[in-house]
Amino acid sequence: QVTLVDHGFDPSEVEVAAGIVTFEVTNEGEEAHELAFLPGGGDVPVTDDGAPDEAALEEAGAFELEAFGPGQTCEATWGLEPGTYTMFCVVEAADGELHVAKGMQGTLTVT
């Protein structure tokens, strides 16, 4: 279970066993949020103008539960390999800054 808040994850560090994993994700924030993962960890790639670098994310194998609104709960299931993943949200806030830039990131460790 992961809860999305404005602008973070609860918990911000998640550990799961490798294999098929289902995440139950609840948005308790006041904005739409997504749950995305970047294999290998590290910084989320952005373009020079601060937008998500979709090509670099795709090349790195990033995957996501698309953004959904406040008060909603969604599930997503993935087959996960062992390793470290950056957990993040690249929804754009009203001020134009990405949620990840506002601190909405964490770590997923798959053992």
Side-chain angles (χ1 to χ4, degrees), residues 9 11 18-19 24 36 38-39 42-43 46 58 68 71 84 87 94-95 101 103 109:
F9 297 100
E24 182 179 293
L38 177 63
D43 293 333
V46 295
E58 183 177 337
F68 60 96
T84 300
M87 184 167 60
D95 64 5
T109 303

Side-chain angles (χ1 to χ4, degrees), residues 1-110:
Q1 293 182 337
V2 177
T3 301
L4 312 176
V5 296
D6 301 329
H7 296 95
F9 297 100
D10 183 21
S12 63
E13 295 186 14
V14 177
E15 185 172 325
V16 299
I20 304 298
V21 179
T22 298
F23 290 82
E24 182 179 293
V25 187
T26 302
N27 185 349
E28 291 186 359
E30 295 185 12
E31 303 176 55
H33 293 294
E34 69 179 2
L35 176 65
F37 297 100
L38 177 63
D43 293 333
V44 175
V46 295
T47 62
D48 290 340
D49 63 357
D53 188 334
E54 298 293 346
L57 286 167
E58 183 177 337
E59 184 176 318
F63 53 97
E64 67 186 342
L65 171 61
E66 292 287 336
F68 60 96
Q72 295 182 322
T73 297
C74 295
E75 287 188 351
T77 301
W78 294 289
L80 300 175
E81 297 290 327
T84 300
Y85 299 72
T86 298
M87 184 167 60
F88 65 98
C89 174
V90 290
V91 170
E92 186 176 310
D95 64 5
E97 192 172 13
L98 298 180
H99 289 180
V100 67
K102 293 178 175 284
M104 194 164 186
Q105 66 181 24
T107 303
L108 169 66
T109 303
V110 181

